[in-house]
Amino acid sequence: QVQLVESGGGLVQAGGSLRLSCAASGRTFSNYGMGWFRQAPGKEREFVAAISWSGGVTYYIDSVKGRFTISRENTKNTVYLQMNSLKPEDTAVYHCAARQRELGLSRVGSQYEFWGQGTQVTVSS
């Protein structure tokens, strides 16, 4: 089992920034690719970003490219999502997820094995 705990969410004005963290425990963190997903009220869960076990490969959904940056520190068992130039449409609960590195990166939530409970991000206009 991998336990994932997100933090760093909150209320911010449009144009502001937040950095989300996801702390992992239970198994060797570097054995997993990591993803961030979000779900807004009344909407389906949406892929946001993913990062390979080494940090060398990253994916982003088009709507956050140039504004969000995913990174990881394997020595701290933590993955981050730096979010800049936030927009009201970024409002959602953000979840991190883990997928075994041998399976490669994925933009599909159902292909991730472990999930955190989520952290709320609210962007006011």
Side-chain angles (χ1 to χ4, degrees), residues 60-69 82-85:
Y60 296 93
I61 191 173
D62 285 348
S63 61
V64 308
K65 285 181 180 177
R67 299 189 298 123
F68 290 11
T69 302
Q82 177 67 44
M83 304 186 296
N84 298 329
S85 302

Side-chain angles (χ1 to χ4, degrees), residues 28-43:
T28 304
F29 183 60
S30 58
N31 284 344
Y32 294 86
M34 299 297 296
W36 283 97
F37 293 78
R38 64 188 180 187
Q39 188 164 20
K43 295 187 177 182

Side-chain angles (χ1 to χ4, degrees), residues 19-112:
R19 188 175 82 153
L20 305 184
S21 299
C22 172
S25 61
R27 290 188 181 175
T28 304
F29 183 60
S30 58
N31 284 344
Y32 294 86
M34 299 297 296
W36 283 97
F37 293 78
R38 64 188 180 187
Q39 188 164 20
K43 295 187 177 182
E44 292 189 354
R45 183 175 60 196
E46 177 182 51
F47 168 79
V48 177
I51 188 166
S52 64
W53 69 273
S54 66
V57 179
T58 56
Y59 294 164
Y60 296 93
I61 191 173
D62 285 348
S63 61
V64 308
K65 285 181 180 177
R67 299 189 298 123
F68 290 11
T69 302
I70 189 171
S71 62
R72 65 189 294 161
E73 288 189 81
N74 287 345
T75 57
K76 295 184 178 181
N77 294 342
T78 303
V79 62
Y80 305 98
L81 186 67
Q82 177 67 44
M83 304 186 296
N84 298 329
S85 302
L86 282 161
K87 304 176 181 180
E89 51 264 42
D90 295 317
T91 294
V93 176
Y94 283 71
H95 298 265
C96 64
R99 172 176 162 87
Q100 292 184 28
R101 76 185 213 189
E102 309 87 73
L103 301 176
L105 285 186
S106 173
R107 297 174 175 87
V108 179
S110 60
Q111 295 181 355
Y112 284 76

